[in-house]
């Protein structure tokens, strides 16, 4: 099992290119099921979760061809199976995103219920509720969600909570439903907007994406399209936290600063000097960061996927930061590992109180989930001595060649088996 060895204490300097967003690419790959015509995608990140999704689609009969590493053409004109088996769904909960497209186009879907998630409960009941409102007959049998419908009908759907994957699943299903669908309390994330842009390019009639009320007029069929995946705002935010923790001067290329409002605001509060352009961000840091508290919330609030990284920065900051995690109930598992490096963090329910220390010390730590692993890398880059980050298969799910990008910025980091 691979590990990362990090010799800390080096400022980061140079340029790095931001990859396409995993959380945008996954639903867009699944959207290929909505048409028999080719869907050509660019800026697809090279990640484990992308590989898992392509394997799932290919098992159903979707043809997938790679032009180069970041270009993928999908064609679902010979789909022979409408089933997503447990052995694939259990490795990536986003596999549930095939449910809406399958029942919308083929009238049937059999998708395994996802297993447990390390960071907390992620129920799919809102997906099921929405599809049922659109006329799908749904039953749970032998650990699978089975949905059937001659053709879905438009409906007014108010979800009980803001759910990104739920919004995406229902958005894709509604694109082929008969009549109008209104999604209330919809997720506003840039990744949802990117999916809507793809569907519109495929012939869907969608308004309101990027707001909490999305209106979809269903069409009989969708056609092929060409689309470039939006840059990954979480990868960009992670590199910005890394330079804020270590010092230095870096420029992010192929970034989307307009999607990072809350993150950039907090990093400025921490003392990071930021300059932005249409598709780039320059970040310079001198001296010790300032403690910066925050509360996670749905977009455009501070993203839960950046909580661990900014907490790592706060462990080194001057002062005390109070952090409240409002999205997932078990997303502080990195706290114990940061403590092994000398961090001073107290947890009380959903709140973490971080008292900054002047220096972290390298240690052997274990990644527990995707974003926790990124926080440990940031801590290791800033710490004195050597840090070993184990179980980095979590990191590979969401960061494309992270160690190579950090090496290009001057970090002493290497992957070993």
């Amino acid at each position: 099992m691979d590990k990362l060895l990090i010799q800390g204490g080096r400022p980061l300097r140079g340029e790095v290119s931001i990859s396409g967003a995993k959380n945008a690419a996954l639903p867009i790959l699944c959207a290929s099921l909505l048409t028999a015509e080719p869907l050509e995608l660019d800026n697809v990140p090279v990640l484990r979760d992308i590989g898992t999704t392509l394997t799932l689609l290919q098992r159903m009969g979707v043809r997938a061809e790679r032009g180069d590493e970041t270009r993928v053409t999908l064609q679902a004109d010979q789909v022979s199976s409408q089933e997503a088996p447990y052995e694939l769904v259990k490795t990536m909960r986003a596999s549930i995103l095939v449910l809406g497209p399958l029942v919308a186009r083929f009238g049937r879907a059999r998708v395994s219920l996802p297993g447990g998630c390390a960071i907390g409960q992620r129920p799919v009941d809102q997906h099921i509720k929405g599809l049922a409102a659109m006329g799908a007959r749904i039953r749970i049998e032998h650990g699978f969600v089975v949905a059937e419908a001659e053709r879905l009908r438009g409906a007014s759907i108010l979800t009980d909570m803001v759910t990104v994957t739920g919004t995406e699943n229902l958005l894709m299903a509604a694109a082929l439903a008969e009549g109008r669908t209104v999604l209330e309390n919809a997720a506003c994330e840039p990744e949802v907007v990117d999916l809507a842009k793809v569907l519109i390019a495929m012939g869907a009639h969608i308004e309101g994406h990027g707001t909490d009320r999305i209106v979809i007029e269903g069409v009989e069929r969708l056609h092929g399209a060409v689309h470039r995946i939006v840059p990954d705002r979480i990868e960009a935010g992670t590199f910005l936290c890394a330079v804020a923790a270590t010092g230095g001067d870096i420029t992010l290329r192929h970034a989307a600063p307009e999607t990072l409002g809350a993150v950039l605001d907090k990093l400025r509060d921490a003392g990071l000097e930021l300059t932005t352009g249409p598709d780039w961000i320059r970040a310079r840091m001198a001296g010790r960061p300032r403690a910066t508290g925050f509360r996670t919330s749905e977009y455009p609030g501070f993203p839960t996927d950046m909580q661990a990284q900014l907490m790592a920065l706060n462990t080194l900051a001057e002062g005390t930061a109070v952090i409240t995690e409002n999205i997932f109930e078990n997303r502080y598992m990195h706290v114990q590992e940061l403590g092994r490096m000398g961090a001073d963090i107290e947890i009380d329910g959903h709140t973490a109180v971080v008292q900054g220390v002047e220096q972290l010390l390298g240690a052997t730590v274990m990644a527990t989930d995707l974003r926790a692993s990124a926080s440990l890398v940031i801590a290791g880059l800033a710490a004195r001595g050597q840090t070993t980050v184990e179980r980095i298969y979590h990191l590979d799910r969401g960061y494309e060649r992270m160690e190579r990008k950090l090496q290009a910025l001057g970090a002493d980091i290497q992957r070993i088996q």
Side-chain angles (χ1 to χ4, degrees):
M1 197 174 294
D2 288 3
K3 306 175 183 180
L4 289 179
L5 290 186
I6 306 170
Q7 292 289 341
R10 291 191 177 190
L12 302 180
R13 301 188 187 280
E15 295 188 358
V16 63
S17 290
I18 299 303
S19 301
K22 179 196 80 158
N23 290 339
L26 295 178
I28 290 172
L29 290 173
C30 295
S32 66
L33 289 165
L34 291 167
T35 178
E37 297 182 15
L39 179 61
E40 299 177 35
L41 303 175
D42 189 18
N43 204 33
V44 179
V46 182
L47 301 170
R48 285 185 58 180
D49 279 7
I50 298 297
T52 299
T53 302
L54 290 174
T55 298
L56 173 60
L57 293 172
Q58 288 171 319
R59 185 173 296 190
M60 293 175 178
V62 179
R63 288 180 287 159
E65 298 179 3
R66 285 191 178 273
D68 57 32
E69 281 195 326
T70 63
R71 292 178 182 269
V72 179
T73 299
L74 300 159
Q75 189 161 5
D77 59 341
Q78 299 178 27
V79 172
S80 56
S81 170
Q82 291 86 44
E83 179 170 317
Y86 176 67
E87 61 263 27
L88 289 174
V89 176
K90 72 178 180 180
T91 66
M92 188 189 66
R93 296 182 61 87
S95 301
I96 194 68
L97 287 165
V98 301
L99 179 63
L102 284 174
V103 72
R105 181 170 166 220
F106 299 101
R108 187 178 189 276
R110 188 171 188 266
V111 180
S112 173
L113 285 166
C117 178
I119 60 175
Q121 295 183 10
R122 292 183 172 187
V124 298
D125 59 322
Q126 300 304 302
H127 305 237
I128 294 171
K129 171 186 172 182
L131 289 172
M134 297 168 72
R137 301 180 298 279
I138 299 178
R139 62 185 187 275
I140 308 297
E141 61 179 27
H142 307 296
F144 283 80
V145 179
V146 180
E148 298 174 323
E150 284 71 31
R151 186 182 180 191
L152 296 174
R153 301 184 307 271
S156 182
I157 302 169
L158 173 63
T159 54
D160 298 336
M161 65 191 75
V162 177
T163 162
V164 174
T165 55
T167 298
E168 292 166 341
N169 233 337
L170 298 175
L171 181 59
M172 288 187 282
L176 288 179
E178 181 180 2
R180 170 179 287 196
T181 299
V182 180
L183 302 181
E184 303 275 8
N185 202 26
C188 305
E189 272 71 3
E191 295 78 17
V192 175
V193 174
D194 207 36
L195 172 62
K197 289 179 178 179
V198 174
L199 295 174
I200 291 169
M202 295 168 68
H205 298 163
I206 301 170
E207 295 180 351
H209 43 294
T211 76
D212 62 1
R213 185 178 188 270
I214 305 177
V215 179
I216 309 102
E217 292 284 353
V219 297
E220 288 281 346
R221 60 181 295 276
L222 295 174
H223 52 71
V226 178
H227 181 75
R228 181 176 176 85
I229 305 295
V230 69
D232 193 324
R233 61 193 172 105
I234 305 303
E235 183 191 31
T238 300
F239 278 102
L240 294 176
C241 284
V243 72
T246 62
D249 184 344
I250 69 171
T251 299
L252 308 184
R253 299 293 182 190
H254 309 300
E258 73 277 4
T259 66
L260 280 160
V263 173
L264 298 184
D265 287 346
K266 288 299 178 182
L267 287 171
R268 286 190 178 99
D269 290 346
L272 187 64
E273 182 183 340
L274 291 165
T275 310
T276 64
D279 61 353
W280 56 269
I281 303 171
R282 184 178 180 186
R284 288 174 284 190
M285 188 69 177
R288 189 177 175 187
R290 298 187 293 268
T292 307
F294 60 93
R295 303 170 64 89
T296 64
S297 63
E298 295 84 2
Y299 191 86
F302 192 90
T304 181
D305 280 354
M306 281 299 304
Q307 177 254 106
Q309 299 93 307
L310 194 54
M311 180 183 285
L313 176 61
N314 273 310
T315 64
L316 293 159
E318 184 175 359
T320 302
V322 178
I323 298 169
T324 303
E325 173 57 61
N326 291 314
I327 307 299
F328 293 116
E329 71 277 7
N330 195 27
R331 205 164 198 177
Y332 284 143
M333 290 187 293
H334 47 283
V335 168
Q336 183 175 350
E337 301 303 302
L338 289 171
R340 291 175 53 81
M341 302 177 72
D344 183 352
I345 308 171
E346 295 291 334
I347 302 294
D348 183 9
H350 293 284
T351 301
V353 179
V354 185
Q355 177 64 53
V357 298
E358 291 192 8
Q359 183 73 66
L360 295 175
L361 301 177
T364 298
V365 292
M366 180 179 69
T368 53
D369 62 72
L370 170 56
R371 306 308 173 184
S373 60
S375 75
L376 299 178
V377 171
I378 291 168
L381 292 170
R384 187 172 77 233
Q386 179 174 285
T387 296
T388 303
V389 183
E390 299 185 340
R391 291 173 58 174
I392 60 168
Y393 58 85
H394 290 293
L395 192 77
D396 294 337
R397 288 187 50 229
Y399 292 93
E400 183 178 332
R401 302 185 183 94
M402 189 182 206
E403 74 279 4
R404 295 188 194 178
K405 292 185 177 184
L406 287 168
Q407 287 166 358
L409 295 174
D412 186 344
I413 179 172
Q414 60 179 314
R415 179 184 292 253
I416 63 168
Q417 291 186 336

